[in-house]
Amino acid sequence: MQVNIHPSWKEALAEEFEKPYFENLIHFVKQEYTQNTCYPPGKQIFAAFDHCPFDKVEVVILGQDPYHGPGQANGLCFSVNDNIPPPPSLQNIFREINTDLGKAFPPTGNLERWADQGVLLLNAVLTVRQSEANSHQGKGWETFTDAVIQKISDQKENVVFLLWGGSAKKKGAKVNRNRHLVLESGHPSPLSANKGHWFGNKHFSKTNAFLAEKGKRQIEW
């Protein structure tokens, strides 16, 4: 099946694109986008992969499904388009970066700048219907993104996986911890963060320390 995705991922995931579940998934997604308002825009469904080619992946951050409000989702987990106010979880991410690294809050919640440095911002489910969170769950995206994680775990070394919250921890459970660094904490959403499960995790400085130790370029968070 022809999928409009970065060539490096097209090669890495070639087997996946030929499986029956993926064909069914794409049929479902096309139908949904025809009949309903869905996010992100069709051209940005695989934006996480287009901004971060397979051979450039240094860090993986796992999210759940895209924001479902107008103009928010841009295909990268936790990220919003320019000129859209950062949602609460993203605000808490920036607060932790501020505390951890002393960096000021950025002028935009658009995280393309991270993705372009090798941070794969991967949602478990890549599409959603407007105003209906989790509306595209259980249609095949989870199988696809599990395969993405498995491929990175098996074929790369010294990648940092940031698993925030219960669903991310479950999704990243099969990552080979002898080959990669896995950092876990609570989710940055206000519910979890304010219970003390997020703030102070220092994941951003720990990630950079690990990358530096391996002779890799640190991320400009």
Side-chain angles (χ1 to χ4, degrees), residues 7-23:
S8 65
W9 288 104
K10 191 170 275 192
E11 185 180 340
L13 300 169
E15 289 177 17
E16 222 54 35
F17 297 138
E18 298 306 321
K19 292 180 179 176
Y21 89 85
F22 192 82
E23 200 164 323

Side-chain angles (χ1 to χ4, degrees), residues 51 74 76 79-84 86 90 94 107-114:
H51 280 278
N74 62 1
L76 311 175
S79 174
V80 289
N81 286 307
D82 292 325
N83 303 315
I84 296 287
L90 186 52
F94 291 151
T108 176
N110 191 334
L111 302 182
E112 287 177 358
R113 63 188 183 280
W114 294 4

Side-chain angles (χ1 to χ4, degrees), residues 26-80:
I26 295 305
H27 176 73
F28 165 78
V29 169
K30 282 180 177 172
Q31 201 168 23
E32 281 286 290
Y33 272 71
T34 303
Q35 297 173 355
N36 303 287
T37 301
C38 296
Y39 302 120
K43 288 183 179 176
Q44 291 183 310
I45 291 172
F46 294 108
F49 303 91
D50 295 333
H51 280 278
C52 184
F54 182 72
D55 52 313
K56 305 287 189 202
V57 176
E58 302 291 358
V59 180
V60 179
I61 298 177
L62 297 181
Q64 287 173 273
D65 73 338
Y67 297 120
H68 51 80
Q72 290 181 301
N74 62 1
L76 311 175
C77 73
F78 293 105
S79 174
V80 289

Side-chain angles (χ1 to χ4, degrees), residues 16 21-22 25 28 63-65 122-127 134-150 167 171:
E16 222 54 35
Y21 89 85
F22 192 82
L25 168 63
F28 165 78
Q64 287 173 273
D65 73 338
L122 182 66
N123 275 318
V125 174
L126 300 190
T127 56
N134 305 322
S135 49
H136 288 183
Q137 274 190 0
K139 302 297 183 182
W141 279 129
E142 296 92 340
T143 305
F144 174 69
T145 50
D146 279 348
V148 171
I149 294 164
Q150 198 67 57
S167 64
K171 194 147 185 81

Side-chain angles (χ1 to χ4, degrees), residues 145-167:
T145 50
D146 279 348
V148 171
I149 294 164
Q150 198 67 57
K151 186 68 71 171
I152 295 168
S153 178
D154 292 347
Q155 295 198 0
K156 295 181 72 74
E157 288 184 355
N158 300 323
V159 172
V160 183
F161 286 82
L162 302 181
L163 309 182
W164 301 335
S167 64

